Structures are given as C-alpha cells and as structure tokens.
Amino acid sequence: MAAITAAMVGELRGKTDAPMMECKKALTEADGDMARAEEILRVKLGGKASKASSRVTAEGVVATYIANGVGAIVEVNCETDFVTKNDEFLALANVAAKLIAEHNPADLAALAALPLDGKTLDDQRAALIGRIGENMSFRRFARFATPVKLASYLHGTRIGVMVEFDAADEQVGKDVAMHIAAMKPVSLSSEQVPAELIEKERSVASLKAAEDAAKAEAEGKKPQSAEIVAKRIDGSIQKYLKEVSLLNQPFVKNDKQSIEQMLKAASASVKSFTMYVVGEGIEKKQDDFAAEVAAQVAAAKQA
C-alpha cells in the first residue's frame, strides 16, 4: 500500500476543497492514486449536504448588489470563519445578491428555487456543501427598487449596509452607509424605534431609579417624588431614542453635526436603510477546541 503523505492530502484538498480527513480516506482507498482519489471524493461528497444541514451556521458574509436603481443585500451563513475566505462561498453570496435584485423573490424558499447555471440556487448551495464539508444557508435578504439612489457599504464581509437616499452628491449616500455600519442605528428616526426596544429601555431606567431610591433611603436621605422619578425615566428614554435613531446621531465624520443636519446642509434625504451584522441573534455553539483536537487524533489513530 502506498504511503499517504501530508503533501498528498494537501494537494487533494486544494483540488477539491474537501475536509482533510476525507481526503486522507480517499487517498488510502485509491492507494495513493490522486486522480482516482479525486473521483472517489466527487462521488462521496454528494451526500455530505444532508449530513451538514443540522449544524449551526453562525459565521458568514454579507453581500450587496446595485444596478439601475435596484439593489439587494443578503446574509449567507456558514459554520466557521475559515469558509468565509473561500472563493466559491464568496461567489455564491455575490450571485445570490444579484439574483435577488433581478428576480425579486418573495422569501427564502423562492430565493432557493431561482435558476443558476442549469440548476437551482439551492442545488448549487448543496453541491458547495459537498465540496467544502460545511453547512451553509441563506439567512435573510432585502431588496430595494427606487426612483432615487442607492449606496452600499461593506465593513470587511461581516457588516453590510444598503441606503436609499436622494442627493446630488453620491458621496452623501456612501458616508451615511459607512456611518450606519459604525454606529448601528436601529431606525431612521426616533418615531420608528420599535416599541419593544423602548419598553426594554424603560424597564432598565425604572430599575435604576428604584436602586437609587433604595440607596437614598439607606443613607437616610429624602427620596425623590414620583413626579421627579417619572421625569428622570422619560429623560433616559429620550436620550436612548437619540442614540439609536439615525437622524439624531452625531455624524461620524463630523460630530459637531447630526446626520439630519448634515443631510440638510447637502440638500439630501435618507428614505430607508438596511444593516446586517453576520450572526446577529444566532446562538453560537461553544466548542472545546482542545477536546475536539484530541478526539480527531484518537479517531485518526483508530482508523
């Protein structure tokens, strides 16, 4: 039997993007014949997608696409940060953004069914799972179709923003998109901040007021009246609304101006925006790396 070297495993992985252990198994089965091992992997990898589908995808990338007043932003997830550097994975994310802009799918199921190179987008996703050996999924997307303008900003591949704006100067949209990525507003204006977020902030302010009252009582001080406490809580809410609404935030490139003031000076306006942060809200699995390595070593010895 031919000796299987690390260089041979690395070469096969480079050709197929398959996991290293799978490459080693294929080379062993092929008795070191590289071409045959590659063929073995091509046959075996077709079944990997279903095996990977239950694994959490909390890493990934955000991709954007804009053409002729139509744009799209999409988050595509995978299991590890390593895959986010893979050219095929990045290409899949970019083509998904383009397909969203061109075909306007109603939801993720409709997106998955869109045609791509004689197959569906989901078929291409499954095939890539087979080649890479990691689960991946389309998590969310937004599409814009506007008579005004669109601008996008990507901070690396983990934070993506798309802005619908009206301005003579294209740089205004780019600046606003970059600002959003940095300051992460939750809404365009204070009136649009979701009610559940306001109630959460009110609860925090109320607890703080109760703690202050208890402390004052313990120190023998006269507690504040209910009216003053209510005003303090309302003040905290108003401060919060200014901090999380785009138009009220200080502009990152000139903190002497709010975004609203900057837009007014440029005779510009922002109609809407979408921001995605990769993995936001997804509970990541906490792995014991040392235990994982030990398990892989033990499995290799047993094999």
Side-chain angles (χ1 to χ4, degrees), residues 22-271:
E22 292 297 327
C23 290
K24 185 176 180 181
K25 289 178 183 177
L27 283 164
T28 301
E29 184 177 340
D31 196 21
D33 185 324
M34 188 66 66
R36 184 167 164 236
E38 187 173 351
E39 183 179 344
I40 289 169
L41 281 176
R42 298 296 181 197
V43 173
K44 285 185 175 180
L45 289 177
K48 282 192 178 293
S50 59
K51 295 177 183 177
S53 63
S54 62
R55 300 200 294 264
V56 175
T57 53
E59 298 294 337
V61 299
V62 178
T64 60
Y65 177 85
I66 297 174
N68 303 316
V70 178
I73 180 169
V74 61
E75 179 182 348
V76 187
N77 295 142
C78 55
E79 294 178 54
T80 66
D81 184 61
F82 178 77
V83 170
T84 64
K85 315 292 193 299
N86 181 279
D87 288 342
E88 286 189 282
F89 179 73
L90 292 170
L92 183 72
N94 287 324
V95 78
K98 186 172 186 288
L99 287 172
I100 292 164
E102 293 176 344
H103 296 277
N104 192 19
D107 50 28
L108 289 171
L111 171 62
L114 291 178
L116 178 61
D117 297 335
K119 298 181 179 180
T120 66
L121 182 62
D122 198 55
D123 289 336
Q124 301 289 4
R125 178 191 68 90
L128 187 55
I129 290 174
R131 291 194 296 276
I132 293 178
E134 273 200 18
N135 190 21
M136 56 191 69
S137 59
F138 299 103
R139 184 187 181 197
R140 52 184 173 171
F141 67 86
R143 183 180 183 272
F144 294 75
T146 178
V148 286
K149 296 177 181 178
L150 294 171
S152 65
Y153 175 77
L154 292 173
H155 187 72
T157 56
R158 294 190 61 82
I159 300 174
V161 178
M162 186 159 289
V163 177
E164 181 186 10
F165 72 104
D166 192 5
D169 186 355
E170 299 279 351
Q171 188 61 42
V172 171
K174 295 176 183 177
D175 285 345
V176 171
M178 182 182 68
H179 170 97
I180 292 168
M183 301 305 294
K184 299 178 177 58
V186 301
S187 68
L188 180 60
S189 65
S190 57
E191 292 78 18
Q192 295 173 0
V193 175
E196 62 268 22
L197 293 182
I198 297 175
E199 286 309 307
K200 182 179 179 181
E201 191 63 24
R202 186 178 298 280
S203 176
V204 170
S206 298
L207 287 172
K208 180 66 168 58
E211 288 177 0
D212 290 346
K215 183 179 178 181
E217 184 178 356
E219 294 174 353
K221 298 178 181 178
K222 183 179 179 180
Q224 294 180 328
S225 67
E227 183 180 359
I228 291 176
V229 170
K231 286 183 177 180
R232 282 182 58 197
I233 293 173
D234 285 341
S236 295
I237 297 301
Q238 293 306 312
K239 180 174 180 288
Y240 169 75
L241 292 174
K242 287 183 178 180
E243 290 174 348
V244 301
S245 55
L246 174 64
L247 295 178
N248 288 307
Q249 290 180 332
F251 181 31
V252 290
K253 293 179 72 173
N254 177 10
D255 61 9
K256 304 301 182 185
Q257 281 185 314
S258 68
I259 288 291
E260 187 171 31
Q261 290 169 335
M262 181 275 285
L263 291 171
K264 186 175 180 181
S267 300
S269 62
V270 172
K271 309 298 183 184

